Amino acid sequence: MPVRQLPEQVVNRIAAGEVVERPASVVKELVENAIDAGASRVDIFTDGGGRRRIGITDDGSGMTHGDLALAVDRHATSKLDDEDLLRIRTLGFRGEALPSIGAVAKLGITTRHTSEPHAWSLSVEGGLKSQIMPAALSQGTRVEVSDLFYATPARLKFLKTDRTEAEAIREVVRRLAMARPDIAFTLAGEERAPVTWAAALPGAADRLTRLGDILGHDFRSCAIEVRSEREGVMVEGFAAAPSLTRANALGQYLFVNGRPVRDKLILGAVRAAYSDYLPRDRHPVVALFVTLAPQEVDANVHPAKTEVRFRNAGLVRALIVHALKDGLAREGRRTAANTDGAALSAFRPSFAPRATNWDWRSSPAYPVRPSFEGAAATALAEAGQAAFDVGAPTADMRFEAQPSADLLDRPLGAARTQIHETYIVSQTRDGLIVVDQHAAHERIVYEKLKASLAKNGVQRQILLIPEIVELDEATVEKLLARAEELASFGLAIESFGPGAVAVRETPSLLGKTNAAALLRDLAEHMAEWDEALPLERRLMHVAATMACHGSVRAGRRLKPEEMNALLREMEDTPNSGQCNHGRPTYVELKLSDIEKLFGRR
């Protein structure tokens, strides 16, 4: 078959296959055009998940008669002043969106520029342009797209249900609304109730207001402001406290020069920054905005412009990690329990509806008629009263009547008692705090291990008699392959024949520990590593496992002095609001909240 030049309509349909993947792609391209036109308000309407109709109206600068004629031609754009693709300051620049949409759908454009006496309209069906006609429009541009993919029916088979496509459109608009809080957005359609995000003023507080409107009250209440700048690159935004997590990374919103992107480098940096706070199967919620010179980032990487490439990727990654770690350390004691009222709501009484045929006389607490007058003391059925038998006390309540004033003024207060040999209850000036002793001590030991490693190595204790741990041969091989990394944490092991390991030294911070259980846990974690995982991350995994084994266990009764010492160590330890697995270490209840629970306020 000889080589030949493809017709213009075929070329446009091929291009549409890259740019117009689904209705959400059309909405993304058209809303980006509205933003580039300087719009202060953008209205989006969809029908049939965008398959039947998409309407975008903005109050931007509009187009003149001549610009409208060129706008639907391939590679025609007003967004490049010259031919330098390394200085792109707009969201769009390829000049492919409108001709690609017109090649696979029915496209109608009505626009008015301030220099024109009236508006002009143009339609494109299956790649064929109509004549430009006068129209009525006060300002800006209105774009109507109907019968999407009617010119390429095979593409319709790959679309999902109307509701799924509508949700994809909603996600696209959400991302663009987060990127530009200064623009008002309205999204309406048959699939969902209309939603409007009002324009916000410049500044971090108003940006958080827009993010809270989109991501929800939970994010707004536990958001931590982050910011870092170096060598002309600035990273700013908000990150949720480690107590707010998701099962996947879809809650991570990343923007580069106002452009929503999905970048593996940035996602990896976010994961690294939260590695000390979250379990391996949970992901943080963040909204980060990277601003840098246009020539330092290449946006011409992906046809849909959803990926970028940085000239100095290492600097961007380091800034993101530093900004997040700095913000998380600053709010180290902040947990879900004392920020969003989750603990308080758990205390509120809830009464299940009683069955309509319930007879009070069948209650086990129904008074039993005494057979003689002296039996009045047994008037209540014993079976019903047995429910109130809570057993022996689980803690020593004989504390001093009044704790010292200086302890009450400390952030975590004065220890008052221990319940169930697991939780410490402390009193502050304006409330009470419940501490999970194991989770709290786990964080303390972990931070000490990290500090020792960074300073002069972990102190070791030599075992008088080496402990022999029997494991399967594959596990032994994994441990011995990482023996050097384990030795940096004071855990010295060596082979002791097939299927056995001799433990000669352990970290002194752990005290007396179960070496067999520790080695098995370490082997399980090592099975999930690969060589691409940085050494620092692998060492932190080891430290976290050791800290868990070296912590005060639940079920251990503590003396008052030990409880207060643990609280003081928590106050001096960074990131003490969460344990190494992301769980909160304490819950705080203000006195005013407790009074509300009992109707005193």
Side-chain angles (χ1 to χ4, degrees):
M1 184 180 295
V3 177
R4 64 188 181 93
Q5 186 72 40
L6 293 175
E8 184 70 17
Q9 288 182 333
V10 177
V11 172
N12 285 339
R13 289 180 184 178
I14 293 174
E18 298 177 336
V19 179
V20 185
E21 180 185 356
R22 59 194 305 185
S25 307
V26 176
V27 173
K28 174 183 175 295
E29 297 291 342
L30 297 180
V31 174
E32 285 182 351
N33 283 346
I35 293 173
D36 288 338
S40 62
R41 181 176 185 85
V42 181
D43 298 326
I44 305 103
F45 177 82
T46 64
D47 182 23
R51 190 175 351 209
R52 289 193 291 271
R53 183 188 168 209
I54 296 173
I56 311 288
T57 304
D58 68 73
D59 59 355
S61 59
M63 292 181 283
T64 62
H65 180 282
D67 287 344
L68 180 58
L70 284 174
V72 293
D73 287 343
R74 189 164 167 78
H75 298 309
T77 182
S78 62
K79 302 173 185 179
L80 290 177
D81 295 334
D82 50 31
E83 297 179 0
D84 189 359
L85 289 177
L86 296 179
R87 296 180 182 273
I88 297 171
R89 300 180 182 276
T90 55
L91 297 177
F93 56 88
R94 289 172 174 268
E96 290 183 322
L98 292 178
S100 296
I101 296 170
V104 295
K106 297 176 182 178
L107 172 67
I109 305 175
T110 303
T111 182
R112 181 180 182 181
H113 192 270
T114 53
S115 64
E116 296 283 349
H118 54 76
W120 300 97
S121 74
L122 170 69
S123 63
V124 182
E125 291 191 15
L128 300 177
K129 293 194 298 182
S130 70
Q131 293 291 325
I132 298 179
M133 304 289 290
L137 187 69
S138 59
Q139 180 187 2
T141 303
R142 182 175 64 244
V143 181
E144 297 278 348
V145 179
S146 57
D147 294 336
L148 186 61
F149 296 133
Y150 90 98
T152 53
R155 297 288 299 277
L156 289 171
K157 299 178 182 179
F158 295 93
L159 295 183
K160 302 188 185 313
T161 64
D162 289 355
R163 181 171 289 277
T164 301
E165 296 297 339
E167 189 58 35
I169 291 173
R170 184 182 180 87
E171 182 62 20
V172 164
V173 177
R174 279 159 50 100
R175 289 181 178 272
L176 291 168
M178 282 189 275
R180 293 299 300 269
D182 58 317
I183 299 176
F185 289 86
T186 298
L187 175 61
E190 289 188 351
E191 296 79 12
R192 284 184 178 270
V195 58
T196 298
W197 295 297
L201 297 173
D206 290 286
R207 171 175 279 174
L208 180 58
T209 300
R210 170 63 65 86
L211 293 175
D213 291 342
I214 296 174
L215 299 180
H217 172 73
D218 287 348
F219 179 82
R220 183 187 303 177
S221 62
C222 67
I224 299 170
E225 185 177 0
V226 297
R227 181 184 174 89
S228 184
E229 185 173 5
R230 193 170 76 217
E231 299 179 23
V233 181
M234 182 172 65
V235 175
E236 58 185 345
F238 291 88
S243 50
L244 180 64
T245 61
R246 297 284 185 267
N248 51 47
L250 296 179
Q252 298 171 18
Y253 297 90
L254 313 169
F255 307 88
V256 178
N257 287 346
R259 183 191 307 278
V261 299
R262 300 288 298 177
D263 188 88
K264 292 182 179 179
L265 169 79
I266 300 179
L267 291 174
V270 171
R271 187 67 181 167
Y274 274 86
S275 60
D276 278 358
Y277 303 89
L278 299 182
R280 292 184 299 276
D281 59 342
R282 302 300 295 177
H283 299 265
V285 181
V286 299
L288 295 179
F289 302 82
V290 181
T291 305
L292 69 170
Q295 60 268 24
E296 296 297 320
V297 59
D298 185 5
N300 189 25
V301 177
H302 190 275
K305 305 181 291 294
T306 56
E307 299 177 9
V308 294
R309 184 178 292 120
F310 296 101
R311 177 171 291 183
N312 190 348
L315 173 62
V316 176
R317 185 185 188 280
L319 278 176
I320 291 173
V321 173
H322 176 266
L324 289 172
K325 283 193 171 184
D326 183 61
L328 292 170
R330 188 176 66 247
E331 303 285 346
R333 295 196 187 93
R334 197 165 168 186
T335 68
N338 53 30
T339 54
D340 65 358
L344 185 64
S345 61
F347 276 97
R348 298 192 185 280
S350 60
F351 299 97
R354 184 171 287 169
T356 55
N357 60 350
W358 181 80
D359 184 3
W360 65 273
R361 287 166 294 193
S362 64
S363 168
Y366 170 61
V368 179
R369 289 186 179 275
S371 56
F372 57 91
E373 295 182 1
T378 60
L380 293 178
E382 291 188 6
Q385 296 302 300
F388 295 93
D389 183 11
V390 296
T394 60
D396 186 358
M397 303 293 291
R398 293 172 296 177
F399 275 22
E400 64 273 15
Q402 182 63 35
S404 58
D406 61 324
L407 290 181
L408 290 176
D409 291 327
R410 300 298 292 265
L412 295 181
R416 300 293 283 162
T417 188
Q418 180 192 29
I419 55 176
H420 298 291
E421 283 90 25
T422 303
Y423 303 102
I424 300 170
V425 180
S426 67
Q427 177 183 347
T428 61
R429 286 286 183 189
D430 58 350
L432 64 86
I433 292 175
V434 183
V435 178
D436 182 337
Q437 66 189 37
H438 173 68
H441 197 239
E442 187 177 347
R443 170 59 73 177
I444 292 170
V445 174
Y446 178 61
E447 294 296 336
K448 285 183 177 179
L449 280 170
K450 286 171 55 181
S452 296
L453 183 68
K455 189 176 181 181
N456 51 13
V458 177
Q459 297 297 317
R460 309 178 179 195
Q461 55 184 6
I462 301 175
L463 301 183
L464 184 63
I465 301 176
E467 187 170 347
I468 308 303
V469 180
E470 294 185 357
L471 303 164
D472 61 86
E473 293 188 21
T475 302
V476 170
E477 290 178 4
K478 292 175 188 174
L479 290 170
L480 293 177
R482 306 285 185 181
E484 187 175 342
E485 296 174 16
L486 296 178
S488 64
F489 279 95
L491 184 64
I493 62 172
E494 60 183 37
S495 176
F496 195 76
V501 172
V503 181
R504 297 194 175 276
E505 300 175 8
T506 60
S508 57
L509 270 173
L510 302 187
K512 186 177 181 181
T513 184
N514 185 339
L518 174 60
L519 289 179
R520 288 191 183 94
D521 279 357
L522 286 171
E524 288 179 7
H525 292 319
M526 289 175 182
E528 301 175 2
W529 298 352
D530 55 36
E531 293 304 321
L533 190 66
L535 175 61
E536 179 187 7
R537 291 280 303 280
R538 296 202 297 264
L539 293 178
M540 290 306 102
H541 281 310
V542 175
T545 305
M546 289 184 173
C548 188
H549 280 266
S551 303
V552 173
R553 288 294 180 184
R556 175 182 166 187
R557 183 169 296 185
L558 300 179
K559 298 177 182 178
E561 311 86 68
E562 292 176 315
M563 297 183 208
N564 278 312
L566 183 62
L567 295 179
R568 301 294 80 80
E569 280 197 275
M570 286 180 66
E571 292 168 353
D572 297 333
T573 301
N575 312 317
S576 61
Q578 295 84 25
C579 75
N580 313 337
H581 309 295
R583 296 189 297 267
T585 57
Y586 72 91
V587 172
E588 182 176 10
L589 289 175
K590 296 296 184 183
L591 187 58
S592 58
D593 294 329
I594 299 174
E595 289 174 343
K596 289 178 184 177
L597 287 174
F598 289 96
R600 290 178 173 270
R601 286 201 174 193

